[in-house]
Short mmCIF file of all heavy atoms in Angstrom, two decimals:
data_model
loop_
_atom_site.label_atom_id
_atom_site.label_comp_id
_atom_site.label_asym_id
_atom_site.label_seq_id
_atom_site.Cartn_x
_atom_site.Cartn_y
_atom_site.Cartn_z
N VAL I 23 14.08 16.42 23.18
CA VAL I 23 15.50 16.78 23.35
C VAL I 23 15.62 18.11 24.11
O VAL I 23 16.43 18.23 25.03
CB VAL I 23 16.22 16.83 21.99
CG1 VAL I 23 17.61 17.43 22.12
CG2 VAL I 23 16.30 15.44 21.38
N ALA I 24 14.80 19.08 23.74
CA ALA I 24 14.83 20.36 24.45
C ALA I 24 14.44 20.17 25.92
O ALA I 24 15.05 20.77 26.82
CB ALA I 24 13.89 21.36 23.78
N GLY I 25 13.44 19.34 26.16
CA GLY I 25 13.04 19.05 27.53
C GLY I 25 14.14 18.36 28.32
O GLY I 25 14.39 18.68 29.48
N MET I 26 14.82 17.41 27.68
CA MET I 26 15.93 16.72 28.35
C MET I 26 17.04 17.71 28.71
O MET I 26 17.53 17.70 29.84
CB MET I 26 16.50 15.62 27.45
CG MET I 26 17.69 14.91 28.07
SD MET I 26 18.45 13.67 27.00
CE MET I 26 19.25 14.71 25.80
N ILE I 27 17.39 18.56 27.78
CA ILE I 27 18.46 19.53 28.05
C ILE I 27 18.02 20.49 29.15
O ILE I 27 18.78 20.77 30.08
CB ILE I 27 18.84 20.28 26.76
CG1 ILE I 27 19.51 19.32 25.78
CG2 ILE I 27 19.74 21.47 27.06
CD1 ILE I 27 19.66 19.87 24.37
N GLY I 28 16.80 20.99 29.06
CA GLY I 28 16.31 21.93 30.06
C GLY I 28 16.21 21.32 31.45
O GLY I 28 16.49 21.99 32.45
N LEU I 29 15.82 20.06 31.51
CA LEU I 29 15.66 19.41 32.82
C LEU I 29 16.99 18.95 33.41
O LEU I 29 17.14 18.92 34.63
CB LEU I 29 14.70 18.23 32.71
CG LEU I 29 13.25 18.58 32.43
CD1 LEU I 29 12.43 17.32 32.17
CD2 LEU I 29 12.64 19.39 33.57
N THR I 30 17.94 18.59 32.56
CA THR I 30 19.21 18.06 33.09
C THR I 30 20.25 19.16 33.31
O THR I 30 20.75 19.31 34.42
CB THR I 30 19.79 16.98 32.14
OG1 THR I 30 19.93 17.52 30.84
CG2 THR I 30 18.90 15.75 32.10
N VAL I 31 20.57 19.92 32.29
CA VAL I 31 21.60 20.95 32.44
C VAL I 31 21.01 22.34 32.63
O VAL I 31 21.71 23.27 33.00
CB VAL I 31 22.60 20.96 31.26
CG1 VAL I 31 23.35 19.65 31.19
CG2 VAL I 31 21.91 21.27 29.94
N GLY I 32 19.72 22.46 32.39
CA GLY I 32 19.06 23.75 32.52
C GLY I 32 18.44 23.99 33.89
O GLY I 32 17.68 24.93 34.06
N GLY I 33 18.76 23.12 34.83
CA GLY I 33 18.28 23.32 36.19
C GLY I 33 16.79 23.14 36.38
O GLY I 33 16.21 23.72 37.29
N GLY I 34 16.15 22.38 35.52
CA GLY I 34 14.73 22.12 35.66
C GLY I 34 13.84 23.12 34.97
O GLY I 34 12.62 23.08 35.13
N MET I 35 14.39 24.05 34.22
CA MET I 35 13.65 25.03 33.43
C MET I 35 12.69 25.86 34.28
O MET I 35 11.62 26.26 33.82
CB MET I 35 12.87 24.35 32.29
CG MET I 35 13.75 23.60 31.34
SD MET I 35 12.91 22.95 29.87
CE MET I 35 11.64 21.93 30.57
N GLY I 36 13.05 26.07 35.52
CA GLY I 36 12.20 26.89 36.39
C GLY I 36 11.01 26.16 36.99
O GLY I 36 10.17 26.78 37.64
N VAL I 37 10.91 24.86 36.75
CA VAL I 37 9.82 24.09 37.32
C VAL I 37 10.12 23.86 38.80
O VAL I 37 11.21 23.41 39.15
CB VAL I 37 9.66 22.74 36.58
CG1 VAL I 37 8.51 21.94 37.17
CG2 VAL I 37 9.46 22.96 35.09
N PRO I 38 9.17 24.18 39.68
CA PRO I 38 9.43 24.05 41.12
C PRO I 38 9.75 22.62 41.53
O PRO I 38 9.10 21.67 41.10
CB PRO I 38 8.11 24.50 41.77
CG PRO I 38 7.37 25.24 40.73
CD PRO I 38 7.83 24.70 39.40
N LEU I 39 10.76 22.47 42.39
CA LEU I 39 11.12 21.15 42.91
C LEU I 39 10.01 20.56 43.76
O LEU I 39 9.91 19.33 43.89
CB LEU I 39 12.41 21.23 43.73
CG LEU I 39 13.71 21.11 42.97
CD1 LEU I 39 14.91 21.30 43.90
CD2 LEU I 39 13.81 19.79 42.24
N GLU I 40 9.15 21.40 44.32
CA GLU I 40 8.05 20.91 45.14
C GLU I 40 7.13 19.98 44.35
O GLU I 40 6.45 19.13 44.93
CB GLU I 40 7.22 22.08 45.71
CG GLU I 40 7.96 22.97 46.67
CD GLU I 40 8.87 23.99 45.98
OE1 GLU I 40 8.47 24.59 44.95
OE2 GLU I 40 10.00 24.18 46.47
N TRP I 41 7.07 20.16 43.05
CA TRP I 41 6.22 19.31 42.23
C TRP I 41 6.67 17.85 42.27
O TRP I 41 5.89 16.96 41.97
CB TRP I 41 6.21 19.79 40.78
CG TRP I 41 5.46 21.08 40.57
CD1 TRP I 41 4.93 21.90 41.52
CD2 TRP I 41 5.18 21.68 39.32
NE1 TRP I 41 4.34 22.99 40.94
CE2 TRP I 41 4.48 22.89 39.58
CE3 TRP I 41 5.47 21.36 38.00
CZ2 TRP I 41 4.04 23.74 38.56
CZ3 TRP I 41 5.04 22.20 37.00
CH2 TRP I 41 4.32 23.37 37.28
N LEU I 42 7.93 17.62 42.63
CA LEU I 42 8.45 16.25 42.69
C LEU I 42 8.16 15.55 44.01
O LEU I 42 8.44 14.37 44.15
CB LEU I 42 9.97 16.25 42.43
CG LEU I 42 10.39 16.58 41.01
CD1 LEU I 42 11.91 16.63 40.91
CD2 LEU I 42 9.82 15.60 40.01
#
Side-chain angles (χ1 to χ4, degrees):
V23 170
M26 178 183 72
I27 292 168
L29 292 173
T30 56
V31 298
M35 300 187 303
V37 181
L39 274 177
E40 295 80 41
W41 289 7
L42 290 176

